[in-house]
Each structure stands twice: as C-alpha cells, then as structure tokens.
Amino acid sequence: YCQSCRAKRKVLDKEGSEKLYQVLMKKVRPMLVTCKNLSALGSGDIFSSQALSRFYQTLSKEEFPDLELLIITNAQLLTKEKWEEFSNLHGMTIDLVISIDAAKKETYEVIRRGGSWEVLNQNMDAIGEWRRQKQIRSLQINFLVQRKNYLEMEEFLLLGKKWGADRIEFQKMA
C-alpha cells in the first residue's frame, strides 16, 4: 500500500473474496475463450488477492491458447516459489509491469510502505532471469516521480538494465 495509492491496506474479507472469485469464475472466465488480453487489479496485486490468485490458477495455455496476460505487481510476493505455484501460466504470453518507484533502500521502504528492498531485489533478479529465458514476453518497471525519489532516476535506469527490463516508465505524480 504505497503512499501514492492509499493511506491504509485494503483487503477483502473471506466472504467478499469468495464472492469475487465466484463472479470471476461465472462471468469472466467464460468470456476468456474469445478474449485476447486479460489484465486485473491495476490498483493492487493479484498475488495478494486470494480471489484473483485462485482465478489465475485456473487458467492455462491449453484452454486459452490466444490469451495474453498483463500482470501488474510490486514484486514483493512474486518469489520463485510463487512462480512455481502458478506453473499453469507457464507457456502463456505474459507481460509483467512492476511498480518500484525508487533505486535505493531508504527511499523504497518509505515510498513503498511495507515493502522490503532486499525481497524486491531477490525477486527482481529471478524475474530478470525469467525474462532472459523468455518465460515472460516483456518486463516493464515503473517509477512514479516525486519529491522523495527524483534524484534516483538515473540509478533506476541502471537497475532496469541489470534486470533486463524491456521498458522503464517514469510517471509524473498527479
């Protein structure tokens, strides 16, 4: 729950999560047969949503050969182990967009509240390797420019190169 998004965590309770999962399964999943692109939860992380995680674990290239996935995440939960939990997605066309907003530990852990710089780097090294192995089609990292981080923009470019990012996006805070 980064400071630019919200002041506190926002998580569905068990009942709300189950309702969302049922809607996804009954309403959204049948439409995926003719769908080309799927993106979910631009205001959060599919790996922290029980409903979306369960839903994504029902998808596969065999059932939806033309479906392309856009996954937006902060990469805190996208570990090697989590990637294996979602092995059903391997082989699908996946574009990853990762919101980072900093190039230094001190800045990152202020801006990306609750995030760990060490965890981010470990996961980004793995994600960079998945990109090099073509397990994901593209990797984009985002940097929301603000007073606390603008001096780290050049260093962020270097991190993007290190991780094999295809695209680095600097966004102006509204």
Side-chain angles (χ1 to χ4, degrees):
Y1 65 109
C2 65
Q3 66 179 17
S4 58
C5 299
R6 59 181 63 93
K8 59 183 180 175
R9 292 181 196 267
K10 188 175 179 181
V11 180
L12 288 175
D13 61 18
K14 191 172 182 172
E15 182 180 321
S17 183
E18 185 58 32
K19 275 185 182 178
L20 175 57
Y21 177 72
Q22 291 305 322
V23 168
L24 290 167
M25 291 302 287
K26 290 177 182 158
K27 304 280 186 186
V28 176
R29 198 168 194 288
M31 292 188 289
L32 295 181
V33 175
T34 57
C35 183
K36 175 104 171 104
N37 298 292
L38 176 64
S39 174
L41 216 60
S43 63
D45 193 312
I46 70 162
F47 302 108
S48 67
S49 166
Q50 288 185 7
L52 280 167
S53 287
R54 283 177 59 201
F55 177 71
Y56 270 69
Q57 287 175 323
T58 71
L59 307 178
S60 70
K61 177 139 184 95
E62 293 72 32
E63 189 171 2
F64 304 106
D66 299 323
L67 184 63
E68 298 178 1
L69 304 176
L70 173 63
I71 297 176
I72 302 168
T73 178
N74 63 18
Q76 285 293 301
L77 299 175
L78 187 48
T79 61
K80 290 178 183 179
E81 295 77 20
K82 183 65 73 176
W83 185 245
E84 287 310 310
E85 281 180 39
F86 285 82
S87 62
N88 57 295
L89 301 180
H90 298 187
M92 294 185 80
T93 302
I94 299 172
D95 297 311
L96 272 181
V97 176
I98 302 174
S99 300
I100 299 174
D101 305 331
K104 295 181 180 172
K105 174 183 174 66
E106 311 77 54
T107 311
Y108 179 81
E109 292 183 356
V110 168
I111 292 175
R112 305 299 298 184
R113 271 189 303 232
S116 162
W117 181 250
E118 289 78 15
V119 168
L120 173 74
N121 276 275
Q122 183 177 8
N123 293 347
M124 287 304 299
D125 287 344
I127 291 166
E129 186 57 33
W130 303 333
R131 175 64 188 108
R132 284 185 284 284
Q133 294 171 357
K134 301 191 183 320
Q135 292 181 43
I136 56 175
R137 177 173 65 183
S138 70
L139 172 60
Q140 174 180 320
I141 59 173
N142 291 348
F143 187 105
L144 183 63
V145 180
Q146 43 200 291
R147 198 170 283 129
K148 292 178 182 168
N149 67 3
Y150 75 96
L151 294 174
E152 298 177 24
M153 294 170 72
E154 186 174 344
E155 196 172 341
F156 190 73
L157 289 170
L158 296 174
L159 285 173
K161 281 185 168 186
K162 172 187 165 195
W163 294 324
D166 297 284
R167 182 178 171 144
I168 299 168
E169 187 166 305
F170 293 97
Q171 302 161 329
K172 183 179 176 186
M173 192 159 178

